[in-house]
Amino acid sequence: MVQRSFGLFATIALAALALAPPAAAQREAAEAALAAPKVPLAIGVAWYPEQWPEARWATDLALMQKAGFNTVRLAEFAWSRMEPSEGAFDFVWLDRAIAAAHAAGMQVVLGTPTAAPPAWMSQLYPDILRVDENGTRAEHGGRRHFSFASARYRGFATRIAREMARRYGRDARVIGWQIDNEVGPPSFDAEAQVLWHAFLKQRYGTIDTLNRRWTTQYWSQHYDNFEQVPLRAGGQHNPGLLLDFKHFTTATWTDYVQAQARAIRAVADPRQWVTTNTMFWNAGFDHYAMHRDLDLASWDNYIPDGRPDWLANGANHDLVRGYKQRNFWLMETQPGRVDWVPVNRALDRGQTREMAWQAIGHGADAVLYWQWRSALNGQEQYHGAMLGPDGTPFPIYDEIAQVARDAAAAAPALAGTAPVGRIAMLFSYDSRWAIDLQRHHRDFDPVKQFTAWYRPLRSIAQGVAVLPVDADLARYPLVVAPSLHVVTQAQADRLAAYVRGGGHLVLGPRSGMKDDANALWPQRQPGPLAELLGARVEQYYALDAAAPLTGSLGAGETAIWAETLVPEAKDVEILERYGPSNGWLDGKPAAVTRRVGKGRITYVGVWPDEAMLRGFAQRLLDAAGVAPVVPDAPPALEVMERAGNGRRALVLINHGATPLRPALPAGAVPVTGDLRDGVLPAHGVAVVALTPAQAGISNR
Ligand code: GAL
């Protein structure tokens, strides 16, 4: 497993910890604060008062109030304003901005500004600047140009965080902290190399262990000492090295964020939560590890091409909810369009509202737009905003104001509720990285493959928890791991216990092939789970044409990937076989299942076509006794259930362009939205309350 702090930064961490109140008590208090937020649904915007004359602020805030907002996020890029020269701090303007926001009824989230260091720092201390893999040092003028490994930068970053926390850490108007902004790009400078070597030493203890785990007898890669190991993210390097590079970036970024979190927590009221905002399917670090010591997950949901694919986007929300297995914040989303893809199409009328409700349905307790008004200059002049350069609303303002109105009406019904996950899916960063490093078939995209399974499972079950492999799975009757490529012995043991205890574990292709040093398991797939399965993968094949499948799951085909299975235990059932194809596959088992203890394990060695996967999902859910809350939901209808705190509610969205009539459970009471006489219009949303007695399902 990834280590959380190491070497140089461990010393810094320990010094900061000495000042902090006991972590457990602090976390408990923060959790209590989260359980009872001041406003159950925060709706608001990123506001950059530093970009505008102060005389304008009152007008901006009045327009936010008029839109029904209750939250603003401030200061995340304002470092040059807060520390105009080294060690000289100016918070007076921010005092006034917070006071003005509060007077307008807004709660405040403060961002630490460390994604945008000031020019004086780059000039005086060029060693803080990031170095890319080719050795080029970043220059000033953009953002994220710092090195995550620079001790000097870490010092500056924790100091500004501490100074802000000293000033606002006990301020009742400030509810929480966002650390940095979308951390991500690593650095390859000399300090990063020193940390890399310290990281490897901590992970492996001795160079002999590293040599063994990475099989460095291959191509004469044997290392005499840790200092010889190059710092590399890609290229023709050892798969063990490349996967450990990801572990290293995880550890370094986590430590970077935690250094600021510790600085804040050392002086702040535990009522204030601490988060960092992340990006969709970002592969830069393990997000479960990053969130272990944060209070809250938050993320930035953008639909770059303006064409929402609601199931794919829902998977992303569920992934984020899985980081802490708790509700999250949507820290940023677009008012209409972005400005960073080739065609920055705006969402259709009504879809910005749909996306807000989708976030809430999947567990967001906040929806914040980026941004309020486009700066007159700067890199993002073309991005969607709520106000134009003239300071008056764009057409999207009214749609977002409606989100705020609906949210206020729905808040009492949703307070203290969380999404109900009826089954679980496992998403593993190690597995994703290891496959991405060696796809073997260009189109074996682990996120696409995960989403292909998520689609039918989610649309039939109407509630999926996306979880790390180490999560407690006991409450889920069905756990699907579309591609658990990397699995440790300890994880395999836990999964085996889940199966023996009565769960159904379904493994997709390439599962159980590697260990956490990215080495092949010496057993055939699924490696440490092969004995439990009573079968093993004989061989895998990348396909350039689909291969036919027949069996009890129905007829269909597999594209991209095919594995032939060999049953070894007598009680293994063959679910599906290959039809005539390349000769190697013909007639061989493609999917097998076996009852073990009180449960079952199934291995599916293919990437089935959509119809087949849907049929299979239906069978798995039927067998698990999982039925949808709203039966026969048409493809455009998204049904999201939130329950808890004695409440149960459904969020419904018609993502399509024609009206629908959802078959609601008896006794459902519309709380807010567009449902009229049982009809949900095109792009309509609705929140309906159900009586808790209708639940019969726990708050998961
Ligand atoms: C986000 C970023 C924001 C803004 C936005 C534009 O990734 O956090 O600061 O740049 O993109 O879409």
Side-chain angles (χ1 to χ4, degrees), residues 48 73 76-77 143-144 181-182 277 279 300 302 332 338-340 370 380 383:
Y48 300 102
R73 184 176 60 140
E76 52 164 356
F77 296 116
R143 59 179 171 179
R144 302 192 192 107
N181 178 80
E182 299 184 341
N277 56 331
M279 294 173 273
D300 302 341
Y302 291 97
E332 297 181 6
V338 301
D339 71 337
W340 38 266
W370 196 92
E380 295 173 295
H383 199 281

Side-chain angles (χ1 to χ4, degrees), residues 510-664:
R510 303 176 81 156
S511 289
M513 193 161 159
K514 299 274 193 86
D515 71 12
D516 63 346
N518 213 0
L520 294 166
W521 276 104
Q523 308 93 308
R524 295 282 179 83
Q525 291 162 250
L529 285 161
E531 215 181 297
L532 190 78
L533 180 66
R536 63 186 171 86
V537 171
E538 179 189 48
Q539 186 54 287
Y540 54 85
Y541 302 88
L543 304 179
D544 64 357
L549 293 164
T550 53
S552 57
L553 301 179
E557 52 184 38
T558 179
I560 301 174
W561 204 261
E563 296 176 351
T564 54
L565 286 143
V566 181
E568 284 176 335
K570 285 201 186 71
D571 52 349
V572 170
E573 233 180 284
I574 296 167
L575 295 174
E576 206 71 9
R577 287 182 186 273
Y578 296 98
S581 170
N582 62 359
W584 299 110
L585 295 172
D586 307 9
K588 292 272 178 69
V592 299
T593 187
R594 183 190 190 199
R595 266 206 79 84
V596 186
K598 295 186 200 142
R600 177 174 289 283
I601 178 168
T602 298
Y603 190 100
V604 182
V606 293
W607 186 328
D609 64 78
E610 214 182 305
M612 194 171 184
L613 208 42
R614 191 169 175 95
F616 186 36
Q618 184 71 64
R619 282 178 57 142
L620 290 172
L621 292 165
D622 287 347
V626 175
V629 213
V630 174
D632 306 316
L637 179 68
E638 183 168 15
V639 179
M640 293 155 285
E641 181 179 2
R642 286 183 49 154
N645 211 11
R647 304 191 175 92
R648 188 173 174 233
L650 299 181
V651 177
L652 305 167
I653 302 177
N654 180 356
H655 290 285
T658 51
L660 299 173
R661 184 180 281 279
L664 292 180

